Amino acid sequence: ALPHHAATGLYTARPAEGTSLPEHEGWFFYLQRICNHCTYPACLAACPRQAIYKRPEDGVVLIDQGRCRGYQECVRGCPYKKVYFNPSTGTSEKCVACYPKMEQGMVSQCFATCIGKIRLQGWISPPGQAREDNPIDYLVHIRKLALPYMPQLGLEPNIYYIPPVHVPDAYLVQMFGPNAPRAVEQYRNAKDDPTLRALLALFTSTDKIISRFQVQNGVAIALDEGGHELVRVPEREPLFLRPQVDQLYQIRRQNST
C-alpha cells in the first residue's frame, strides 16, 4: 500500500522503498458514441440564437447553420461532448443522424457500415405503448437489456447500449444506471433465450430500418413498417467443421473451422 498522510488524507505520489503499487483488475472496452439526439437536448437549451431544433417527425436534433453565430454555448452545454466548433465555417456542427437516409427508410451510415454488427436502428415507443415485435421496444422497454448512457443527467438520450460483460458492476452502474448488472446477466444468458438470440442476430443484417421482427423455426425475420420482409437470418450462426487434414490434396489446414 502507498504511504498515507493522516493529516491530509492523501497518499504520496511515490511509494516508499520496499513497497509496491496496488494492483487492479485490468479491463478495457470501446464505447462507440454519436450524438444521442436527446429528448431534452442540453445543446438546444443552451443556444442563445435558437439555432438548434428537434425535428418532430423523427426526433433528430439539428443546427441551423444560417442562424448559428458560433457562440459555442452548445459545445459547453452538451454533457456528452458531441457538438463541436468548426473554425473554418465559424459555426457549431454535430451528427445529423444521416436524416436524408432515414427519410428513405434506410439506417444511418455508421449503422450500415459497422463491421462488428453491433448496431440496430429503429423507432422507440413510449413505455406504456411498447410492442414486443418492435425490436427497439423489446430491447429497451420489455427486456431492459439496452440502457441509456448517463441517464442521471436527465436528458433522456435516445442511443442505448448493451453494457459490456467484463466490467465491474460499480463502473457500469455509474455509466448506465442501476439496471446495468441485470442487463449483463441477461446478455450472458442470451444463448439460452431463442427470442433474444434471434434479435441479436439481426443487428446490422440489413441497410433498411427494422420496424418489426419475428422468430419462426429458428429463423429471425426482419420486417419494415409496412410488414414487408427485409431479411431473414438463422437464430444461431452455422458452424462448419472441416477435417484438419485434406485427404484429396494431402495438406494440413491451419484453420479447421
Side-chain angles (χ1 to χ4, degrees):
L2 297 177
H4 181 262
H5 295 281
T8 62
L10 299 176
Y11 290 89
T12 56
R14 296 177 56 190
E17 185 176 354
T19 63
S20 60
L21 292 171
E23 295 184 2
H24 301 280
E25 179 184 356
W27 52 269
F28 169 86
F29 71 95
Y30 171 70
L31 184 70
Q32 62 84 15
R33 295 206 301 120
I34 62 174
C35 173
N36 289 290
H37 297 278
C38 302
T39 302
Y40 310 104
C43 59
L44 186 155
C47 180
R49 288 280 302 169
Q50 297 183 342
I52 302 179
Y53 63 100
K54 190 172 179 66
R55 287 174 29 131
E57 62 268 36
D58 51 26
V60 174
V61 178
L62 298 176
I63 301 176
D64 185 338
Q65 297 295 299
R67 289 193 60 84
C68 180
R69 291 294 181 270
Y71 298 151
Q72 303 181 53
E73 293 299 330
C74 55
V75 177
R76 288 181 281 270
C78 175
Y80 298 108
K81 303 306 173 189
K82 291 290 102 179
V83 187
Y84 64 92
F85 177 71
N86 186 339
S88 298
T89 62
T91 59
S92 294
E93 299 179 5
K94 60 181 289 298
C95 158
V96 300
C98 300
Y99 69 87
K101 293 190 66 179
M102 293 174 58
E103 292 172 348
Q104 302 299 318
M106 311 283 287
V107 300
S108 302
Q109 194 65 17
C110 61
F111 286 77
T113 58
C114 178
I115 61 174
K117 295 190 174 184
I118 63 169
R119 305 190 187 203
L120 180 69
Q121 186 171 353
W123 308 109
I124 192 168
S125 306
Q129 302 173 21
R131 298 187 353 235
E132 286 205 21
D133 64 346
N134 179 331
I136 306 301
D137 284 352
Y138 188 80
L139 291 171
V140 175
H141 293 319
I142 297 173
R143 298 301 299 269
K144 295 181 172 55
L145 175 65
L147 306 173
Y149 177 51
M150 302 292 282
Q152 63 269 34
L153 298 176
L155 304 178
E156 200 172 302
N158 287 300
I159 301 295
Y160 298 86
Y161 297 87
I162 298 177
V165 299
H166 60 285
V167 176
D169 284 351
Y171 192 84
L172 292 181
V173 168
Q174 178 184 349
M175 293 186 67
F176 303 109
N179 289 326
R182 178 176 175 271
V184 168
E185 182 181 358
Q186 283 196 83
Y187 187 74
R188 287 184 182 276
N189 296 325
K191 63 183 184 301
D192 302 318
D193 187 327
T195 302
L196 181 56
R197 189 170 62 234
L199 179 53
L200 294 174
L202 287 174
F203 277 47
T204 323
S205 61
T206 174
D207 59 357
K208 305 291 195 306
I209 293 177
I210 301 175
S211 296
R212 290 187 285 167
F213 79 103
Q214 301 174 354
V215 183
Q216 297 178 1
N217 301 320
V219 175
I221 305 171
L223 308 171
D224 65 13
E225 194 171 2
H228 304 103
E229 183 177 319
L230 297 174
V231 68
R232 54 175 62 203
V233 298
E235 174 193 321
R236 291 182 180 273
E237 185 174 349
L239 178 65
F240 300 96
L241 296 178
R242 299 183 299 172
Q244 190 173 16
V245 177
D246 189 313
Q247 297 296 336
L248 177 61
Y249 296 102
Q250 289 299 303
I251 57 174
R252 182 177 294 274
R253 296 189 175 97
Q254 299 299 318
N255 186 349
S256 59
T257 59

